[in-house]
Amino acid sequence: MPEPTGVIHDIGYQRYTGPRLGRRAIFGALYLHGLRTAFGLGRSAKAKIFPWLVVGIVTLVAAAAAAVRSQIGEVVMTYAQFADNMSWLVIFFVAVVAPELVSRDLRSGVLPLYFSRPLPRSDYPLAKLLALATALWLLLGGPQLVMFLGAAFTSGAGMRGVWNELLDLLPGLLYAGLWAAVFASVGLLVASSTGKRAFAAGGVVAVFLMTTPIVGVLSIMPSRAVNELAFLASPSTLVGGVGEWALGDLLGPQAPVPIGGFGPVYAVAAVLLVAGCVALLLLRYRKVAAR
Amino acid sequence: MTLIATESLTKTYGGGVTALADLTVAVEPGIIGLVGANGAGKSTLIKILLGLLAPTSGRARVLGLDPTTDSAQVRARVGYMPEHDALPPDLSAAELVTHLGRVSGLPRTVARERASEALRHVGLYEERYRPVGGYSTGMKQRVKLAQALVHDPDLLLLDEPTNGLDPAGRDAMLALVHRIGTEFGISVLVCSHLLGEVERICDTLVAIDGGRLLRADHISAMTSATDVLAVEVSEGTEELAARLTVLDLPVRRDGRLLLVELVDDATYDLILGAVAELDLPLHRLDQRRHRVAELFATREPSHA
């Protein structure tokens, strides 16, 4: 009879004496987990469908725009315009991903497991917020990179052409960052109010879309100042207003949102909106953590 | 070293509900049972010890640290298993426990190793790669215990770990907790409203009621003083009682039984000697361990 070659020993419980990482590493772990969750990575196949469908569409649009430009030479849309044109997709992406990030945890009761660990309670919502903002920025910025690669290496103007494209791309990426910040903070705040994912998704869509009619009503009022301030009423037109003020003709020769001389007002409003949403989000999680 | 100490700890919620009232208690490392009825303040105490709630007044110390000011240090060394459902259904146990290990400050590869170790110790093997949503209640309780254990804490706070389990599951969970407290070298605070359960595994018992301390002591101190021998003879109960009283053994009657306080092993000999001398048919002679519940039962009227 052959001797047994391997024996499994139960070595019992082992104490851990190695390093324990600090707040930054913990925040990083939460952030990365959130970012992966946003794109359905490490999750079921069902959770991957929607995020990757949206990613597929925006990439396809960018590839088509790049192809048209290199073949016909016509600029279908600028880098900054790309974000504006994709706003509907961004709204739906937020409506699906924000509940996935926060409502799920509220519903399953997993939060006590986070808050009994050595992270300050504000770190949980901030890591989730940063993860959602990054996901949105990648969603809008990635396709712009595709457009840039397409344009830069078919322009025929050598390094100078690449440099010119880069100068156009950078404001576009910054503008995408603004979209990401505003939509992530508003969307996450709405989603964190309920543990029911369907309600949270509905709430996000409602906040972004139901405010558009208000803009419409205000912009046909018989006062020019009211018309020019009307775009403050909805997050997407608010972002458009800031873009109009900061980027000017990068958003196209014809201003999509005529804001007159109120540009700085729009910029301040955007900052206040983001700050307000973050403050409310932190307040919300102070309450949740004590439960 | 004192494991947990509280000093006049009081917690009043908004609306005037008093959850803890002037609670002063100190316990040594080991397995501690925290018993009390539902609403006695057990969960509030745990949340204060974790630094999730600030006490209205008084102080608490856990592992020598103040949870209100050093909450991060306390939480790095403490594992917490909540009472209610706390598991996202679509993650696998391995992923969840690994992730929570990282949130406790473990490096990535260590978190993965320790997560599978912790799940193995609680008795989850191949199942750990399946989504938690399909687990039985017993398996879910084990995952909750594993996530509290993953970062190798010095103290485990378990809130009703046997909740929702069938009798066999309860026994398995209690055996597991006992093993953690004895073999793993981790102190455990077990909360329960079932005294009979925790008294089987703990060394120290803390009983609270209405936010007040009823009693806190070593379990041995609570039971040894009350151990009695129950003697039953088919006939001649009266004669035996008289005989034992002569021998300086105080006797109480309990129906057909004679209850004799057990002083030491000599008590057995004295009783057996008396029975033989009187030539009585001995029916039984056994040691009766007074259940801790009786201690509280006798105290409760004075409290109420």
Side-chain angles (χ1 to χ4, degrees), chain A residues 10-17 19-21 25-26 29-30 32-33 42-43 100 104-105 108-110 112-121 197 289-291, chain B residues 47 50 52-53 72 75-76 80 82 85-91 95 99-100 102-107 110 114 120-121 147 149-154 184-186:
Chain A
D10 185 357
I11 49 171
Y13 185 77
Q14 302 280 301
R15 300 297 310 235
Y16 176 67
T17 49
R20 289 174 191 266
L21 308 176
I26 294 174
L30 259 178
L32 269 181
H33 184 79
R43 309 283 307 285
E100 196 70 25
R104 212 166 52 98
D105 284 357
S108 63
V110 76
L113 303 188
Y114 283 105
F115 293 131
S116 61
R117 295 188 138 74
L119 76 163
R121 56 185 122 187
R197 262 188 286 179
R291 264 214 308 253
Chain B
K47 280 178 189 150
L50 279 169
L52 294 177
L53 279 179
R75 293 199 289 246
Y80 169 54
D85 271 354
L87 305 173
D90 56 345
L91 282 184
E95 279 174 85
H99 174 56
L100 290 171
R102 294 195 69 193
V103 177
S104 279
L106 297 182
V110 176
R114 288 205 64 91
R120 185 173 65 83
H121 283 301
Q147 65 78 30
L149 206 56
V150 64
H151 54 294
D152 186 31
D154 295 319
F184 295 11
I186 297 172

Side-chain angles (χ1 to χ4, degrees), chain B residues 6-297:
Chain B
T6 68
E7 239 174 74
S8 315
L9 197 64
T10 302
K11 176 70 193 177
T12 314
Y13 287 110
V17 181
T18 303
L20 290 176
D22 200 26
L23 186 75
T24 302
V25 66
V27 291
E28 301 294 309
I31 306 181
I32 300 109
L34 176 63
V35 290
N38 291 330
K42 302 187 296 286
S43 296
T44 302
L45 178 59
I46 283 194
K47 280 178 189 150
I48 290 175
L49 297 180
L50 279 169
L52 294 177
L53 279 179
T56 310
S57 65
R59 296 193 323 135
R61 289 192 89 73
V62 179
L63 302 163
L65 298 162
D66 186 336
T68 10
T69 53
D70 307 320
S71 57
Q73 283 106 302
V74 169
R75 293 199 289 246
R77 296 177 58 192
V78 171
Y80 169 54
M81 172 179 173
E83 178 183 358
H84 301 290
D85 271 354
L87 305 173
D90 56 345
L91 282 184
S92 73
E95 279 174 85
L96 177 71
V97 177
T98 305
H99 174 56
L100 290 171
R102 294 195 69 193
V103 177
S104 279
L106 297 182
R108 186 200 302 262
T109 45
V110 176
R112 195 168 302 131
E113 282 167 23
R114 288 205 64 91
S116 33
E117 280 297 288
L119 287 164
R120 185 173 65 83
H121 283 301
V122 301
L124 288 173
Y125 302 91
E126 291 314 308
E127 312 87 307
R128 66 173 185 263
Y129 300 112
R130 292 210 317 258
V132 174
Y135 285 14
S136 68
T137 311
M139 284 159 77
K140 284 183 185 164
Q141 291 293 89
R142 285 161 187 267
V143 178
K144 275 160 67 179
L145 183 58
Q147 65 78 30
L149 206 56
V150 64
H151 54 294
D152 186 31
D154 295 319
L155 168 65
L156 275 182
L157 302 176
L158 311 179
D159 200 347
E160 304 272 1
T162 57
N163 230 7
L165 299 180
D166 57 26
R170 283 168 183 265
D171 286 347
M173 177 56 79
L174 290 172
L176 194 55
V177 172
H178 185 70
R179 231 185 102 212
I180 292 171
T182 51
E183 286 173 34
F184 295 11
I186 297 172
S187 288
V188 188
L189 177 81
V190 196
C191 260
S192 180
H193 61 279
L194 297 169
L195 179 62
E197 262 184 8
V198 287
E199 70 169 324
R200 277 162 42 195
I201 56 163
C202 62
D203 337 305
T204 309
L205 202 57
V206 177
I208 56 175
D209 184 36
R212 286 169 200 286
L213 183 69
L214 279 184
R215 188 162 173 191
D217 212 337
H218 283 285
I219 197 113
S220 52
M222 289 195 190
T223 49
S224 64
T226 60
D227 275 1
V228 290
L229 288 175
V231 192
E232 189 180 349
V233 283
S234 309
E235 57 191 55
T237 310
E238 294 301 327
E239 293 150 60
L240 182 61
R243 178 79 192 151
L244 290 174
T245 316
V246 172
L247 288 170
D248 255 355
L249 291 173
V251 175
R252 275 187 295 130
R253 296 291 299 266
D254 180 13
R256 296 164 50 88
L257 291 174
L258 288 178
L259 299 179
V260 186
E261 206 165 299
L262 177 62
V263 185
D264 51 30
D265 284 347
T267 316
Y268 283 100
D269 299 337
L270 286 173
I271 295 172
L272 288 174
V275 172
E277 234 171 78
L278 296 168
D279 200 18
L280 297 173
L282 180 64
H283 218 68
R284 71 166 170 169
L285 169 63
D286 56 20
Q287 188 181 341
R288 222 194 218 195
R289 222 177 133 78
H290 259 215
R291 290 282 146 193
V292 182
E294 295 170 35
L295 294 179
F296 296 122

Side-chain angles (χ1 to χ4, degrees), chain B residues 214 294-304:
Chain B
L214 279 184
E294 295 170 35
L295 294 179
F296 296 122
T298 53
R299 286 179 63 91
E300 248 158 59
S302 64
H303 170 76

Side-chain angles (χ1 to χ4, degrees), chain A residues 53-285:
Chain A
L53 188 71
V54 174
V55 170
I57 293 174
V58 291
T59 314
L60 218 63
V61 170
V68 167
R69 188 172 164 195
S70 68
Q71 294 303 313
I72 310 172
E74 189 186 331
V75 179
V76 185
M77 58 177 108
T78 64
Y79 297 111
Q81 272 179 319
F82 183 80
D84 278 358
N85 291 340
M86 294 299 126
S87 62
W88 279 74
L89 280 171
V90 172
I91 290 171
F92 284 114
F93 188 81
V94 173
V96 169
V97 171
E100 196 70 25
L101 283 172
V102 289
S103 305
R104 212 166 52 98
D105 284 357
L106 281 168
R107 183 160 182 83
S108 63
V110 76
L111 288 174
L113 303 188
Y114 283 105
F115 293 131
S116 61
R117 295 188 138 74
L119 76 163
R121 56 185 122 187
S122 58
D123 279 13
Y124 172 86
L126 288 180
K128 296 275 182 183
L129 181 63
L130 209 60
L132 180 57
T134 309
L136 289 175
W137 186 74
L138 288 176
L139 186 71
L140 291 172
Q144 291 186 34
L145 201 65
V146 172
M147 289 163 67
F148 167 75
L149 292 177
F153 298 106
T154 56
S155 67
M159 279 315 286
R160 185 158 190 86
V162 176
W163 179 249
N164 280 338
E165 282 301 319
L166 196 66
L167 287 184
D168 281 352
L169 172 68
L170 290 180
L173 291 180
L174 281 178
Y175 188 49
L178 178 67
W179 270 91
V182 169
F183 276 61
S185 50
V186 174
L188 208 67
L189 174 65
V190 174
S192 74
S193 62
T194 170
K196 294 201 169 69
R197 262 188 286 179
F199 286 176
V204 171
V205 172
V207 166
F208 285 124
L209 293 191
M210 305 293 257
T211 45
T212 325
I214 306 176
V215 175
V217 170
L218 290 177
S219 56
I220 53 168
M221 294 293 238
S223 152
R224 188 166 163 187
V226 171
N227 294 163
E228 288 175 351
L229 286 171
F231 304 102
L232 288 171
S234 175
S236 12
T237 50
L238 168 64
V239 173
V242 179
E244 178 64 33
W245 170 66
L247 303 176
D249 63 353
L250 281 177
L251 285 173
Q254 189 118 50
V257 279
I259 55 168
F262 289 110
V265 178
Y266 278 82
V268 170
V271 170
L272 285 181
L273 178 65
V274 172
C277 285
V278 172
L280 286 175
L281 193 67
L282 293 181
L283 213 63
R284 163 83 179 136
Y285 275 92

